[in-house]
Amino acid sequence: MKYLDPKHIISILGKPFESDEVQLVLTALDIRQKPKIKKGENTAYVVNTEAGVEFALSDAETIGHKESDTPEGTLFITNVRTVCMNHGGTRAYPFDLPLGLNPKASLAQIQAKLGKFAWGDENLGGYRWDLGYCSVFAKFVDDVLLDYGFQIPNF
């Protein structure tokens, strides 16, 4: 694995899987899988559990992408999930996180960085911030931060 600048996690949101920028990120994280959406589903995943990262991809129709020159079957990065602690066979994401987020942050510390969350459910341990250019999710288990998700807006 090569060092990955945290800005790339957000900059690839909404980009086609085959784009140079996405391929640069996936190569840096030693991800060589080709995504394929299973019949009856609308999302595919590529994952590296050793790097604590998962990329979700959807087709143009699912995300409302309307450019006519997009080849049919093109998949776009819709969400990037980074794991904050070793959990369930997945290692913690080893690089700096986007937006200066801390993998050991409390909810209050994340709110100090991102402001008040737009949605939250204490019972589920999930929270969402809508930043305009992306949405950020934080998932807690027993008040310990499990992961962050970075998603295209309005998805």
Side-chain angles (χ1 to χ4, degrees), residues 3 24 82 116 127 151:
Y3 174 75
L24 176 78
T82 57
K116 176 85 171 114
Y127 301 88
Q151 183 173 288

Side-chain angles (χ1 to χ4, degrees), residues 9 12-14 43-46 54-58 76-82 135 137 148-152 155:
I9 293 294
I12 66 168
L13 292 172
T43 305
Y45 300 91
V46 292
E54 171 186 272
F55 296 84
L57 301 100
S58 297
F76 297 85
I77 302 288
T78 55
N79 185 293
V80 180
R81 184 174 74 95
T82 57
S135 294
F137 294 83
Y148 286 110
F150 304 91
Q151 183 173 288
I152 59 175
F155 185 65

